[in-house]
Each structure stands twice: as C-alpha cells, then as structure tokens.
Amino acid sequence: MPVVKRFALQTLLVVLALVGFMAVAACARPDVDDGRVESETPPAATEVKQEAVEMASEPEAADSAVQVAQAETTAEPAPTANKKDPANPYDVDIPPMSLEQCGQCHPTYFESLRTEGGRHQFDCRECHEVFHAYNPQKQNWAEIMPNCADCHGQPHGSVHVQCLSCHVDPHAPLSMPYAEGAPVTKACADCHTGPAREVAEFPSRHMDVACTSCHHDQHGYVPSCFECHGPHYEGQALESCTECHPVHKPLEIALTPTTGARTCQACHDTVYTEWKETPSKHGQVNCSLCHTEHGMIPDCRTCHVQPHSDNMLSKFPDCLTCHINPHDLPVKRKN
C-alpha cells in the first residue's frame, strides 16, 4: 500500500475512534438522550474528520507534508568548528597593540594628546618604537625613549638642543610651562630678537628682570601691566598703558594726539589742574597736541605764527613775558 494512502487511512481510523469515544461519553450523561448525542457531534471532531477526508483526497498535499516532516526529523545538525588550542600557548600570532589599547593603560598621556597634542596626534608607535622595556637597574630610559631630533632636527639651532627644557611634555608640545632652572631668558632672545634688542638698547628697570618674571607660567602669556604697576588714575584702561609706554622700552614714552590728558595728571598734577580750570582757549587743546614728545617744550610760534609785529617781537621775544602761563593764559574777563 502506498505511504500516502496508508497515512490517510491511519488518520481516518484515529478520527473515527475519537468520535466513538466522544459518543460513548455522551451516552453516559444522565441528562442527555441518545438522539441528542447523535445530533450534537462536537465541532472539533467534525473539523478533524473533514481534514482527514481532504488529506485522503489530495495525495499530493499529503505527500508533501510527509516529506517535510521526514526532512525535519532527518536533517543533520550544522557542523561546529573545532578550534584546537596550540600545544604551546606561545605558538600564536600576537597582533600589534592598537592606539586604544595604549590609551587604556596610559590615559593621562592619551588625554594630553587628545586636547593639546597638536601635530603629535598620530599613532603612539610612530615615536615609541620600543616600549615596556625600561629596566631600573640598567637605567635605560634614554635608550628607549624617542629622540625629538629624529623628526624635528634642530629647529632652534645647535645652541638649544635640550628640547624638554621648554617643551616639558611631548604629549602636549605647544604647552610650554617653563622648566625650573632652564636658561629661558637667553633662549627667548634667540627667537624673540626684537624685544631682546629693545630691552638692551633702551635701559630701564625691565632690564633687571628675566623674561619669565612677566611672561610667567606659560609660553605666549601676555601679562597685564597692572600686575606690577599701578594705574595713573582709578579706572584707567589697560590699553592706554602701551599707547605711551612700549613694553620693552617703557621709558621711551610715545605720545599721540589721542593720548588722554588725564594720564599726564599722574605726574603733572599742578599743570593739569591749571589747564583744566583755565578759561582760555588752551583749555580746549589736548596736552599731546603741543607736547608731541614727552618732556618737549614747544615754541608758541609753532601754532601762533607771527601773532604780533616785528617791532613788538623784537622787544619781547619771549611770549611768556606777557602771556605768563601757557596753561592758564590771562584773558579779558567779563565783569
């Protein structure tokens, strides 16, 4: 007998047995008669019987179902890879360490490179060709650490070859807090020739201090004049300091037409008060318009060209003989 027909017949027999069992159970109920049992076949049994009949009538569908069931039961499990450990645990290839692995053990250096590394932000192994090889007994630190000159040569000439005296942290090369005891002032002059020349040619108390006394803590730091010097008057703007006093030659006072007269008051208080209160037209003229250089006494005829006749000027060549005080000229006052 073909497999499909045998399978359909077995299914039909099971359904008939189930229906008979349910009929016997219905007869055993005291409140239900035989006619009712016969007429009330459970819907589920009916559906099962119908499916069996349909399956028996469609041998191709039944055959497919049998084949699927057989395939599922006879399918072989997927083969698992058998990874054998080497006989010697050191018979394995170790891949090079990654940048992330370096950072896991050296987070401080990694963070410095991340935030202040500049052009040093590349793979650690491009500098550190030998690592984890320091031996305290051999003191071989210099042998395993990279040499700055291998990449940079001698950017500051042959005089300054101790790179770490200024660039104390190669992982943050542009951050240069000055190393204690380093000859920084001389090193500064090699690069900053202009300021060094001005300090030497125009003597002042700025010659007596090292560069790091003002430019302290960090390379490129520009200090406020008020860190050492008090203002000429309360509320003076910091910008006005360098308008008159060039930083590296502070006694060479440079006046401009916009130099505030109130700045002059710090040293010339009496003159400033006279000028401030005078009713003459000189009270409307800024100090630096007449005194174009600090300490210079102007000639009145620079502005007042031939104010009087030659005869009068020959008798009174000094204007102040009559006009007495240029900061508070005598004027005809109203009664």
Side-chain angles (χ1 to χ4, degrees):
M1 180 180 293
V3 176
V4 176
K5 291 184 178 181
R6 185 171 61 253
F7 175 76
L9 181 59
Q10 290 176 351
T11 303
L12 181 59
L13 291 175
V14 171
V15 171
L16 292 176
L18 179 61
V19 172
F21 175 77
M22 295 178 64
V24 172
C27 292
R29 293 173 55 186
D31 54 343
V32 179
D33 56 13
D34 294 342
R36 185 175 179 180
V37 171
E38 293 177 357
S39 62
E40 293 184 1
T41 304
T46 304
E47 293 176 1
V48 172
K49 182 177 180 181
Q50 182 66 27
E51 289 178 0
V53 172
E54 292 176 356
M55 186 175 295
S57 62
E58 297 180 5
E60 294 181 358
D63 189 22
S64 299
V66 171
Q67 291 177 358
V68 170
Q70 290 177 347
E72 291 178 352
T73 56
T74 59
E76 297 181 358
T80 57
N82 294 326
K83 184 178 180 180
K84 295 181 179 180
D85 294 331
N88 187 339
Y90 288 92
D91 290 342
V92 294
D93 293 330
I94 303 298
M97 294 185 66
S98 65
L99 180 63
E100 293 79 3
Q101 289 172 320
C102 295
Q104 289 174 352
C105 293
H106 306 283
T108 302
Y109 298 146
F110 186 88
E111 191 62 29
S112 295
L113 285 165
R114 184 209 302 273
T115 57
E116 300 181 88
R119 294 185 179 180
H120 281 192
Q121 287 183 345
F122 43 73
D123 195 305
C124 304
R125 291 165 297 166
E126 293 188 27
C127 281
H128 298 278
E129 297 179 357
V130 179
F131 44 86
H132 298 164
Y134 175 66
N135 189 327
Q137 293 182 345
K138 295 181 180 180
Q139 292 293 315
N140 60 336
W141 185 260
E143 298 176 11
I144 65 174
M145 286 294 106
N147 189 346
C148 303
D150 291 343
C151 294
H152 299 284
Q154 294 181 345
H156 303 299
S158 58
V159 178
H160 305 291
V161 294
Q162 299 299 324
C163 305
L164 297 181
S165 63
C166 291
H167 305 277
V168 295
D169 185 359
H171 303 101
L174 298 183
S175 176
M176 292 186 287
Y178 300 111
E180 183 178 357
V184 178
T185 299
K186 187 178 186 307
C188 295
D190 288 339
C191 293
H192 305 281
T193 55
R197 185 184 65 255
E198 290 178 351
V199 171
E201 292 180 359
F202 301 93
S204 69
R205 291 187 179 180
H206 282 191
M207 284 189 64
D208 301 331
V209 296
C211 300
T212 51
S213 296
C214 293
H215 305 281
H216 50 77
D217 296 335
Q218 178 70 37
H219 182 263
Y221 171 74
V222 178
S224 167
C225 300
F226 298 148
E227 290 184 15
C228 297
H229 306 281
H232 287 302
Y233 57 89
E234 185 177 357
Q236 181 184 6
L238 176 62
E239 294 78 10
S240 65
C241 297
T242 54
E243 289 181 358
C244 294
H245 304 279
V247 176
H248 299 104
K249 47 180 182 178
L251 298 183
E252 299 298 311
I253 301 174
L255 301 179
T256 67
T258 59
T259 301
R262 192 176 178 185
T263 303
C264 305
Q265 179 189 10
C267 297
H268 308 283
D269 184 62
T270 301
V271 173
Y272 177 82
T273 302
E274 293 175 347
W275 171 83
K276 188 69 176 177
E277 297 179 355
T278 183
S280 69
K281 291 184 177 181
H282 278 195
Q284 302 172 16
V285 178
N286 192 36
C287 303
S288 58
L289 291 178
C290 292
H291 304 278
T292 53
E293 297 180 9
H294 186 260
M296 184 268 288
I297 304 299
D299 187 334
C300 299
R301 284 170 293 186
T302 302
C303 295
H304 306 281
V305 179
Q306 194 69 21
H308 301 292
S309 64
D310 292 338
N311 186 32
M312 179 176 288
L313 289 177
S314 63
K315 294 180 180 179
F316 305 101
D318 185 359
C319 300
L320 297 185
T321 302
C322 297
H323 295 283
I324 305 173
N325 186 355
H327 302 104
D328 184 18
L329 296 174
V331 296
K332 184 181 294 186
R333 301 177 185 271
K334 296 180 180 180
N335 295 329

